[in-house]
Amino acid sequence: MDIPALDEAEEISCDVLVIGGGTAGTMAALTAAERGARVLLLEKAHVRHSGALAMGMDGVNNAVVPGRAEPDDYVAEITRANDGIVDQSTVRQTATRGFAMVRRLESYGVKFEKDEHGEYAVRQVHRSGSYVLPMPEGKDVKKVLYRQLRRREMRELIRIENRVMPVRVLTSPEDGRAIGAAAFNTRTGAFVTVRAGAVILATGPCGRLGLPASGYLYGTYENPTNAGDGYAMAYHAGAALTGIECFQINPLIKDYNGPACAYVANPFGGYQVNRHGERFVDSDYWSGQMMAEFAAELDSDRGPVYLKLSHLPEESVASLESILHTTERPTRGTFHAGRGHDYRTHDVEMHISEIGLCGGHSASGVRVDERARTTVPRLYAAGDLASVPHNYMIGAFVFGDLAGEDAAQYRPHEGALPADQLAAAHELIYRPLRHPEGPPQPQVEYKLRRFVNDYVAPPKTGAKLSLAVAAFDRMTGEIAQMGATTPHELMRCAEVSFIRDCAEMAARSSLARTESRWGLYHERLDHPKRDDAGWLHHLDLRKSASGAMEFTARPVEPYLVPVPEFTPTGGPSRHLGEVALLPVATAGPREAAPAARPAARAAGGVGGSGGAPSSPRILELLALAEESPDLDALRAYLEDPDASVRAAAVAAIGESVPEGAGPALAARLADAAPAVRAAAAAALRELLEVLPADPELATALHAALAVADPAVRSAALEALRALRLGDAERYARSLADADVEVRIHAVRALVSVDATAELARAAGDPAREVRVAVAKGLASVRGAAPDPLDPLLSDPDPLVRGAALAALASTGCPAPYAGIAVAALADPAWQVRAGAAAALAAAGPQAAVGPLAAALADANADVRKAAVLALLAHRTTPAAAAALDTATADPDADVRAYASRG
C-alpha cells in the first residue's frame, strides 16, 4: 500500500473519545451517552467480539453483595493481597458500587447464578469473605453489551468505528490536557485524527509481554490482542503509571494458555494439589504469595501440580464441564479430548503463565483516582489498564462507568491539533512501509519477548534487569527497521512498539524497587526482603521532559479501612529520577584478575570448591586452623580488613571452639559485612550446646539485638534463650521488632521464662505467624491457663483460631471454653475445626464426647484425626469407646490407626 499523506487524514470530532471496545470501554460509552455526550468508540477489531470479555465470563470474582460481604472487608482483603500498596479510595469504589453494577448488568440481560429463593448464589473461594458470584450462562455477556450499544437512543449518540487503531493520545501544547488521538484504519490504512473533549483509555492489559512456554506469540494467558497499547499511549501522553514492577502471573493448564479455574472448581470440591495429592497453598487465591508457593511446589520433587477433580461426583463434574467448556475458553474441552483426558479419570496438570501487566488481576497500570482520572487532565483510564488492584470484570465496569460519567462534561477541543504530535504518530504507523523487505513483525516480536523471559521474568536481579534495558534500547532500532506491506501488518508492527515500551517500563520499574514484594510478582534475589520502612510506597513512572523514564516513590495514603498489618503515614513523595543501571558490560572490573566467590556464597565453604582463596591471609589461616589455635592466635584475622578473611576466621573458631569462642563470635554479629555476620550467626547456633553461658557472652548477645540485620537479631534471641541468658523484660522489647522472624523468636524466648503476661500482650501482633506462635506458647508455659487465649480464640485469621483452640488441650478447657470449641466444630476452616476437636480432649466428657463423635463425619481427614485423638482422652466413657469403634472403618489410614488404639 502507499503511505497516505499527513494532510489527507480523516478527522472525526466528539465530546468523549473511548479507546477500546471491551468491558470498560463499552460501559464508559454507554454512561457518557446517557449523560448526553456525543461519544466516539474506537476499536481496532470489532466491538461485537473484542476484548477479554468476548468469549464470555464464568463468574464474578469480587461481588460485594449486601448480606454476604461488607465493602470494608473487601477493601481490607485487597489491601492485604497487595501487600499494603493500594489507593483504598479506588478499591472502595468497586466495593461500594459493584452491587449496583451487578443489578445494572442484570437489567441488560446478563445472568448471575441464584438459589431457589432468588438470592445471589455467592460462594466463598477466597480465604476470607464470600465474593465469587458464578455466571453459568456467562458466555453471552459481550453480546448483551453490544445490544445495548446498538439501541436506537444510544446509536444517536455513540458512533462506533471498528478496525480503527489509535497509536497516540494527542495533548494540548498549552496545558497538557488530552484533546484527541491519532489513529489509522487497519483495513484501508487511512490516517485518522480525532479531536475530543476528553479521552478514555480502555485498552486492557499488556498480555502479550512474556513469551508463553509454547513459543506461540498469541498463545497468551490474557487476550493476545491486548499488547499494552494503552500503557504506551498513556506514557507518551505524560500520564503517570504505577506498580509496573508488580507483574501478573497466573496458574494455567499445562500446554494450554488458559486459566485452570481452580476458583471455579473450588465450590464444587476441586482444589490444587501436588503429585502426592497434598494440598499445599497457604496464601489466598488473589495474592502473589500464592503464586510463589505454587512455583516452589512446582519446582520441588513434589511437582507436578494438579487441579484435582477426579474425586468429584458425576453431577459436579458435569456442572464444571458445562461452565468451563462453554465460557472464557470454549477450546478447553477440545484440548482435553485431544489428549484423551476426562475430569472423571484425569486431574488437570497445571503450570505457570508468562508474565504480563494488568491492574485488574494484579496491580500494574495507569495511575487513576476514584473518578478514573489520570494525572493528565481530561485523560481517563479504566479496566485492566488502570491500576486498581484485583479489579476484575465488575471493577472494569465500575471504572468505565465512573470515567464515562466524569468525561461527559467536556466538549471537543476547538484549536488546531498539534502538528508535531500528528507527524510523530504518522511516522510510527507508516515507517514499516518504507522498507517492506525488513524483518517481519513475528520474528522481531519473538526476539523481544524472549528477552523479556530471559531477563525480566521473576526471580529478578539487578544485573539481569540492566541487561534487559540494554536489550530493549538496542531493539528500538530493530523495531524501526521492521517491514510491512498491508494495513494489518502495520497494526502488528505498532503493537510491537507498544510491547517494547511496556517491556522497558517493566524492567526499569523492577530495577527501581529495591525490595521483594507481592510474592512471585516482584521477587528480587538481590533484595530478598520486603522493606515496609523504605518501600510502603507506590512506584510511579512517567516520561520526563527529556524523554527518559523517571520514577517517584509516592507514600501510600493513610487507609480509609484500617489493616493491622500495615500502617501507611502518607507524607511527601520521594523523587528518584532515572534508575541507575548496574555495570554489566564486563564480568567484574576489566583489569581485575579472576576472583574466588565470597565466603558466604561459596558452595564448598570459604573460597568455594576448587577455587583459589581470595586472599593469601586465608591460606595462612587455614594452615593455622589445622593446629587448633587459641583465640589470641586468631584475633588478627578476626579484625582483618578483608571480609572474606574475617569470615574464614569465624569458621575456624566454629571448628576449633577455643576458650572465649562465644563472646568472639557474638562480637562478629555486628560486623559490617553480611557474610561475616551470617557466618557468626551460623557458628553460634551450631555451638549453643557447648558454649558456656558467661556474662561476657550475654553482654555481646544483648548488644546484637540492636544490629540492623534481622537475621542477627534472630540468632541473638535464639542464643539468649537456649543459654538462659535473657529475661522477660529484654525479650518483650523484641516483640516490637519490625521483622516477623525476630518477633517469633521473641515469643519463644518469653515461653522459655514463662512470661505469660508479656506473651498475652503479643496476641495483637499484625503478623499471623506471630499470633500462631503466641497461641502455641501460651499452651507451653508453666501453669498455663485458658483465659490469656481469649483474644486469639476470636482472631479473624483461621490459623490463629485453630492454634488457639488446640492450645486449650494443654491449658484446660472448662465449661465456657468447651462451648466455644463445640461451636467452632462448625467453622468453615478445617484448621479451626481440627483445633476445636483437639481442645475437647481437655473438656469434660459430658460436653465433649457427643460433638466429637459427630466430628468423625467431617469431610476433612485431619479434623477426623483430631477428633479421634481427643476421643482417646475420654475412652473410658462408653459413648467415646463406641465412637472410636466406628472410626476404625474410616477411609483414612491415620484415622483408622489412631482409632484402633482405643
Side-chain angles (χ1 to χ4, degrees):
M1 62 168 286
D2 296 328
I3 299 176
L6 180 59
D7 59 4
E8 294 177 356
E10 175 192 353
E11 182 177 301
I12 308 173
S13 177
C14 63
D15 297 329
V16 177
L17 168 61
V18 179
I19 299 177
T23 310
T26 52
M27 188 58 68
L30 288 167
T31 297
E34 287 170 358
R35 281 155 179 75
R38 293 184 304 110
V39 179
L40 173 63
L41 177 57
L42 296 186
E43 169 56 56
K44 67 181 179 182
H46 194 292
V47 172
R48 184 194 298 274
H49 46 68
S50 64
L53 199 61
M55 300 310 297
M57 185 63 60
D58 52 31
V60 174
N61 291 352
N62 53 347
V64 184
V65 175
R68 299 301 305 273
E70 293 296 326
D72 284 1
D73 292 340
Y74 173 79
V75 172
E77 198 64 23
I78 297 302
T79 302
R80 293 187 189 96
N82 213 50
D83 281 357
I85 311 292
V86 297
D87 284 324
Q88 284 195 345
S89 61
T90 61
V91 177
R92 203 166 196 283
Q93 288 285 56
T94 299
T96 56
R97 298 168 69 103
F99 182 63
M101 183 56 66
V102 168
R103 300 300 294 269
R104 179 175 175 178
L105 292 170
E106 275 191 315
S107 74
Y108 291 167
V110 176
K111 295 182 178 63
F112 300 93
E113 185 175 345
K114 295 183 178 179
D115 63 19
E116 293 80 358
H117 302 288
E119 301 293 334
Y120 292 100
V122 183
R123 310 286 174 81
Q124 177 161 1
V125 173
H126 307 289
R127 299 297 168 83
S128 175
S130 298
Y131 304 113
V132 173
L133 179 55
M135 301 169 65
E137 300 177 53
K139 61 184 181 295
D140 296 328
V141 178
K142 194 64 193 291
K143 184 198 301 183
V144 171
L145 290 171
Y146 188 68
R147 187 165 65 232
Q148 291 300 310
L149 287 172
R150 305 315 294 153
R151 282 168 36 219
R152 177 175 298 176
E153 58 270 33
M154 289 293 102
R155 284 204 308 269
E156 293 174 356
L157 290 168
I158 299 175
R159 174 177 175 178
I160 298 175
E161 288 292 337
N162 293 309
R163 314 295 180 188
V164 175
M165 177 184 186
V167 298
R168 289 290 185 264
V169 171
L170 302 177
T171 57
S172 167
E174 287 79 30
D175 57 13
R177 75 182 188 277
I179 57 174
F184 73 104
N185 189 297
T186 64
R187 290 295 171 86
T188 69
F191 190 50
V192 179
T193 61
V194 180
R195 64 173 61 247
V199 178
I200 300 173
L201 290 172
T203 57
C206 182
R208 219 160 81 221
L209 183 61
L211 190 67
S214 66
Y216 176 50
L217 294 180
Y218 308 109
T220 53
Y221 179 91
E222 285 289 352
N223 184 340
T225 65
N226 294 333
D229 310 34
Y231 286 77
M233 283 189 277
Y235 171 73
H236 289 291
L241 295 95
T242 192
I244 304 300
E245 70 280 15
C246 179
F247 299 161
Q248 177 191 14
I249 307 172
N250 298 92
L252 46 67
I253 300 172
K254 182 75 168 67
D255 293 334
Y256 174 81
N257 266 61
C261 292
Y263 64 93
V264 177
N266 180 282
F268 291 91
Y271 46 84
Q272 295 173 81
V273 296
N274 59 28
R275 70 182 177 90
H276 303 300
E278 300 160 344
R279 286 175 287 190
F280 60 89
V281 175
D282 288 323
S283 299
D284 207 343
Y285 156 72
W286 45 29
S287 74
Q289 187 57 42
M290 185 272 280
M291 287 307 305
E293 294 174 14
F294 190 102
E297 200 75 7
L298 194 65
D299 292 339
S300 75
D301 65 348
R302 299 177 299 278
V305 168
Y306 296 88
L307 173 62
K308 187 163 186 62
L309 301 174
S310 58
H311 66 295
L312 297 177
E314 171 59 32
E315 57 270 26
S316 297
V317 173
S319 296
L320 279 170
E321 285 177 333
S322 70
I323 297 170
L324 297 179
H325 296 179
T326 58
T327 60
E328 284 208 23
R329 303 293 198 279
T331 56
R332 178 176 177 143
T334 307
F335 170 81
H336 291 312
R339 294 190 162 202
H341 290 180
D342 186 293
Y343 296 152
R344 298 158 184 81
T345 57
H346 288 73
D347 293 323
V348 182
E349 185 182 354
M350 299 172 69
H351 206 66
I352 290 176
S353 73
E354 72 287 342
I355 68 170
L357 302 178
C358 181
H361 291 75
S362 175
S364 48
V366 179
R367 177 182 166 187
V368 295
D369 66 9
E370 66 275 11
R371 305 300 298 177
R373 294 172 291 212
T374 73
T375 57
V376 170
R378 302 195 188 184
L379 179 64
Y380 300 80
D384 286 340
L385 170 70
S387 181
V388 185
H390 300 281
N391 220 20
Y392 304 109
M393 181 187 78
I394 286 298
F397 280 132
V398 165
F399 271 79
D401 178 50
L402 290 166
E405 179 181 347
D406 204 64
Q409 64 185 291
Y410 299 113
R411 297 298 169 258
H413 173 69
E414 294 182 353
L417 296 177
D420 58 337
Q421 296 178 39
L422 290 174
H426 188 274
E427 172 65 15
L428 170 66
I429 295 167
Y430 299 110
R431 68 188 175 194
L433 295 177
R434 295 198 178 93
H435 27 78
E437 302 303 320
Q441 164 263 332
Q443 291 182 14
V444 178
E445 182 176 334
Y446 182 92
K447 180 179 180 181
L448 170 64
R449 292 167 64 189
R450 183 172 57 79
F451 282 138
V452 171
N453 280 20
D454 289 346
Y455 296 137
V456 185
K460 312 173 189 179
T461 69
K464 289 199 297 182
L465 293 167
S466 298
L467 283 167
V469 172
F472 303 146
D473 283 345
R474 186 171 65 248
M475 286 205 69
T476 303
E478 298 178 31
I479 290 170
Q481 293 302 311
M482 280 190 300
T485 59
T486 69
H488 181 82
E489 290 174 348
L490 289 179
M491 176 181 70
R492 292 297 187 221
C493 288
E495 288 176 338
V496 176
S497 75
F498 298 151
I499 296 168
R500 196 221 68 86
D501 287 345
C502 290
E504 183 179 354
M505 291 184 219
R508 289 186 183 271
S509 298
S510 296
L511 198 53
R513 185 177 283 277
T514 52
E515 63 157 358
S516 287
R517 190 176 289 269
W518 306 300
L520 190 63
Y521 298 166
H522 181 65
E523 180 187 358
R524 281 284 298 262
L525 295 178
D526 46 353
H527 296 283
K529 297 290 186 180
R530 194 177 84 190
D531 176 16
D532 282 348
W535 276 110
L536 195 60
H537 290 65
H538 304 275
L539 182 65
D540 289 353
L541 155 71
R542 57 165 295 167
K543 187 177 183 179
S544 71
S546 66
M549 290 185 185
E550 64 177 16
F551 294 89
T552 300
R554 174 170 51 95
V556 173
E557 288 297 316
Y559 294 150
L560 303 173
V561 179
V563 177
E565 295 93 324
F566 305 98
T567 311
T569 56
S573 295
R574 187 170 75 243
H575 183 68
L576 305 177
E578 297 180 40
V579 66
L581 305 183
L582 300 186
V584 290
T586 64
R590 292 181 62 194
E591 307 303 326
R597 297 178 71 190
R601 291 185 296 159
V606 175
S609 56
S614 59
S615 167
R617 294 271 289 164
I618 294 182
L619 290 176
E620 300 172 15
L621 179 58
L622 293 176
L624 181 63
E626 292 295 318
E627 302 173 13
S628 297
D630 61 18
L631 191 59
D632 287 337
L634 295 170
R635 287 193 193 281
Y637 299 99
L638 286 170
E639 302 296 336
D640 194 280
D642 188 333
S644 64
V645 175
R646 300 199 301 277
V650 166
I653 291 176
E655 182 177 343
S656 58
V657 199
E659 186 176 352
L665 291 173
R668 286 298 106 198
L669 291 174
D671 195 283
V676 179
R677 297 197 301 271
L684 274 171
R685 285 192 169 100
E686 182 180 338
L687 300 175
L688 283 177
E689 302 299 324
V690 298
L691 292 176
D694 55 56
E696 186 181 359
L697 175 56
T699 300
L701 290 172
H702 285 135
L705 294 177
V707 173
D709 188 341
V712 166
R713 301 197 299 276
S714 292
L717 280 169
E718 186 175 349
L720 286 167
R721 173 183 57 80
L723 297 171
R724 301 287 175 175
L725 290 172
D727 56 46
E729 181 181 354
R730 289 183 184 273
Y731 295 152
R733 291 177 200 158
S734 293
L735 290 174
D737 197 281
D739 187 84
V740 170
E741 287 298 321
V742 175
R743 301 203 300 275
I744 290 174
H745 278 286
V747 167
R748 296 187 65 202
L750 286 168
V751 173
S752 72
V753 293
D754 298 314
T756 302
E758 289 80 1
L759 275 174
R761 287 200 292 271
D765 192 279
R768 176 182 75 187
E769 304 94 319
V770 177
R771 302 199 303 278
V772 169
V774 170
K776 294 178 179 178
L778 288 170
S780 303
V781 295
R782 295 187 182 90
D787 48 310
L789 291 164
D790 286 351
L792 298 168
L793 289 168
S794 57
D795 193 278
D797 190 284
L799 293 185
V800 179
R801 295 201 306 280
L805 285 161
L808 290 172
S810 300
T811 65
C813 189
Y817 295 94
I820 293 173
V822 169
L825 287 172
D827 194 278
W830 70 267
Q831 296 96 331
V832 175
R833 301 198 303 276
L840 291 173
Q846 202 166 11
V849 172
L852 286 171
L856 293 176
D858 196 281
N860 187 282
D862 283 343
V863 177
R864 300 198 303 276
K865 176 180 173 181
V868 164
L869 291 172
L871 283 167
L872 289 172
H874 304 290
R875 67 182 117 190
T876 56
T877 304
L884 288 167
D885 186 58
T886 64
T888 58
D890 193 275
D892 185 87
D894 257 6
V895 176
R896 294 196 304 271
Y898 284 109
S900 297
R901 293 170 53 194

